[in-house]
Amino acid sequence: QVQLVESGGGLVQAGGSLRLSCAASGSILTINAMGWYRQAPGKQRELVAAITSGGDIVVADSVKGRFTISRGNAKNTVYLQMNSLKPEDTAVHYCKADVATTHLEYLEVWGQGLLVTVSS
């Protein structure tokens, strides 16, 4: 069993900043990658940014230069620093981890989602 606990969502004015955090726990052998996705009302879920265990990073064009993804020293946490937020960034943001468990299962684990609302 693997769980993701997210924190840091909320309401912010356009131009402001928020920092999202996600911590993984449970029967984890290795975490191959962690990332953030978001889903706005009426739209499909999309990748925001992801980071692999080797440090490779991918960032969506729509947030490039404004959002930064990083991992904690313990490698079971991931952060998303969101600067210069725009109203179109309003969405539920989900953390995802690609995990190899101690039972040798490979799982995609999702967090419960954080609402980020950017007011104009």
Side-chain angles (χ1 to χ4, degrees), residues 46-62:
E46 62 178 4
L47 172 70
V48 177
I51 183 168
T52 70
S53 58
D56 294 325
I57 290 174
V58 60
V59 180
D61 288 342
S62 59

Side-chain angles (χ1 to χ4, degrees), residues 19-65:
R19 188 184 193 222
L20 306 184
S21 301
C22 174
S25 64
S27 304
I28 298 170
L29 183 61
T30 61
I31 299 178
N32 298 319
M34 296 185 79
W36 291 94
Y37 291 71
R38 68 186 183 186
Q39 187 166 19
K43 294 189 177 181
Q44 290 190 330
R45 191 173 298 189
E46 62 178 4
L47 172 70
V48 177
I51 183 168
T52 70
S53 58
D56 294 325
I57 290 174
V58 60
V59 180
D61 288 342
S62 59
V63 306
K64 205 166 286 184

